[in-house]
Amino acid sequence: MSPLVLSTLLSSLALGTMITASSHHWLLAWMGLEINTLAIIPLMAKMHHPRAIEAATKYFITQAAASAMILFSSITNAWATGEWDIMNLTSHLSTTTMLMAILMKLGVAPFHFWLPEVLQGIDLTTGLILSTWQKLAPMVLLLQISTSLNPQLLFTAGIISTVVGGWGGLNQTQLRKILAYSSVAHLGWMMAALTISPQLTALNLIIYIIMTTAVFLTLKMLSSTKISTLSSSWQKTPTLATMFTLTLLSMGGLPPLTGFMPKWLILQEMTKQNATVLATVMALSALLSLFFYIRLAYALTLTTHPNTTHSTQLWRFSTVQPKLLLATSAMTSVTLLPITPFLLSLMP
């Protein structure tokens, strides 16, 4: 792909997200989502591989259906209220269909059916964009209309997502599918916190993006897409393997790493709202996700690659890839827990 086409597509991705985030009119928000969708499809299909074409087709069909539901919901709400304002979503039919459409765009269970297959069919760079940047525009809409949504539906989607995200990733050997189910589980925590504290949802989204960026960039540096290819990484880059292990444990929510912060705060808020049973179920389902993160860490650090020769192995990592973003995201995804009080003081 030529640099001109690539820069145009990336600029369109940024433009679509900014249009959706800054709009107060449903049609403008819908237009931004459409620009986002149409800009990432050529990036998915650039490998000219049947799996990539299949993933791009599945993504287009799913996102087109969700966009049609958003348009239907906004038209229904405008018919009932006479306004197109995003904050004025009052019709019961409109709020339910809008929530279903945004959950489908994000890949929250039970509308997650497209995410593992799509992420498996594309390369790691496009998978990074799909797992991080593409979540921003729908989440901004969800945060704006959070006061109008049904708390029971959000709690139900959150519980299902955390359980499905943990359960679905247990038996996977493909790293991109594991990260897809990890995304489903993290989105479940965000949905559960949305009606209680939208600020916590935003904080969880930021931390999730940082950790996922570190994981995808590390896998790209290691040229690994399967668990079996991780075992030769420790002998070649022990520092990178150590940071990757800590990042995986942080995604699992182990203290004293950064990933423990949002889970801790969300469980605390749910306990204050007398949702102790739901908090217990979500905490137990986080153990399922922690299992496959530890499985990856075990394959990376405690499994020796079966070498059949004593000759020096060739250095196979590219040195032209930018490493500043990887270093920054990896350090941030491990060391943010001590500044939790400062982050809480920034919340309105």
Side-chain angles (χ1 to χ4, degrees):
M1 184 175 291
S2 68
L4 179 60
V5 175
L6 182 61
S7 61
T8 303
L9 294 176
L10 293 179
S11 301
S12 299
L13 278 174
L15 177 64
T17 303
M18 288 188 290
I19 287 176
T20 302
S22 59
S23 60
H24 296 281
H25 196 285
W26 274 116
L27 284 182
L28 285 176
W30 173 80
M31 188 185 306
L33 292 173
E34 287 299 295
I35 293 174
N36 240 352
T37 301
L38 295 177
I40 198 174
I41 288 175
L43 295 175
M44 290 181 170
K46 67 180 180 180
M47 291 193 299
H48 303 293
H49 189 274
R51 291 295 300 270
I53 303 300
E54 179 185 353
T57 306
K58 288 179 179 178
Y59 182 78
F60 173 74
I61 293 174
T62 307
Q63 298 297 309
S67 296
M69 289 179 64
I70 290 177
L71 201 57
F72 169 76
S73 176
S74 56
I75 291 174
T76 306
N77 185 70
W79 196 356
T81 62
E83 294 186 12
W84 288 88
D85 190 7
I86 291 179
M87 306 296 291
N88 190 25
L89 192 68
T90 56
S91 171
H92 179 69
L93 175 63
S94 299
T95 54
T96 305
T97 53
M98 183 64 69
L99 178 60
M100 292 174 58
I102 296 179
L103 294 186
M104 186 182 297
K105 274 193 166 293
L106 288 170
V108 179
F111 306 103
H112 69 290
F113 50 87
W114 60 273
L115 185 57
E117 297 299 325
V118 169
L119 205 59
Q120 175 62 27
I122 58 181
D123 63 337
L124 289 171
T125 305
T126 312
L128 171 61
I129 298 174
L130 180 64
S131 300
T132 56
W133 185 264
Q134 292 297 94
K135 299 283 192 293
L136 292 177
M139 282 301 298
V140 167
L141 287 179
L142 208 54
L143 289 171
Q144 285 182 308
I145 65 173
S146 60
T147 56
S148 305
L149 298 175
N150 189 342
Q152 284 76 22
L153 287 178
L154 281 173
F155 271 127
T156 303
I159 293 294
I160 295 175
S161 291
T162 52
V163 174
V164 168
W167 204 275
L170 289 181
N171 204 30
Q172 300 295 332
T173 58
Q174 300 290 332
L175 296 176
R176 284 167 292 185
K177 281 193 175 182
I178 290 177
L179 290 175
Y181 284 108
S182 168
S183 174
V184 173
H186 279 90
L187 286 169
W189 285 89
M190 298 179 209
M191 295 305 107
L194 187 59
T195 54
I196 300 174
S197 175
Q199 294 83 7
L200 274 183
T201 299
L203 177 64
N204 197 350
L205 176 64
I206 293 171
I207 292 176
Y208 162 74
I209 288 176
I210 293 172
M211 294 188 297
T212 305
T213 301
V215 170
F216 268 99
L217 291 178
T218 304
L219 292 179
K220 184 173 175 58
M221 189 74 69
L222 298 175
S223 302
S224 298
T225 57
K226 296 185 295 185
I227 294 181
S228 59
T229 59
L230 289 176
S231 59
S232 62
S233 303
W234 179 261
Q235 293 87 356
K236 296 182 178 180
T237 68
T239 305
L240 183 62
T242 302
M243 290 305 300
F244 187 40
T245 302
L246 292 176
T247 305
L248 289 172
L249 297 180
S250 180
M251 291 190 76
L254 282 184
L257 304 174
T258 303
F260 176 65
M261 181 206 307
K263 291 181 171 59
W264 170 31
L265 296 176
I266 290 172
L267 290 176
Q268 183 182 15
E269 289 295 324
M270 292 179 70
T271 306
K272 289 180 181 179
Q273 299 293 328
N274 295 322
T276 311
V277 176
L278 296 179
T280 304
V281 172
M282 293 188 66
L284 292 176
S285 64
L287 296 178
L288 297 173
S289 300
L290 182 62
F291 174 81
F292 60 76
Y293 292 131
I294 293 179
R295 183 174 169 222
L296 292 182
Y298 172 81
L300 181 69
T301 59
L302 299 178
T303 304
T304 304
H305 190 266
N307 297 319
T308 57
T309 176
H310 296 288
S311 61
T312 304
Q313 296 179 356
L314 295 177
W315 187 263
R316 67 185 176 114
F317 303 116
S318 173
T319 58
V320 299
Q321 298 181 20
K323 300 178 179 61
L324 179 60
L325 181 59
L326 171 58
T328 305
S329 58
M331 289 299 298
T332 308
S333 62
V334 170
T335 59
L336 281 188
L337 185 63
I339 65 169
T340 303
F342 172 72
L343 295 177
L344 289 178
S345 66
L346 297 179
M347 294 183 183

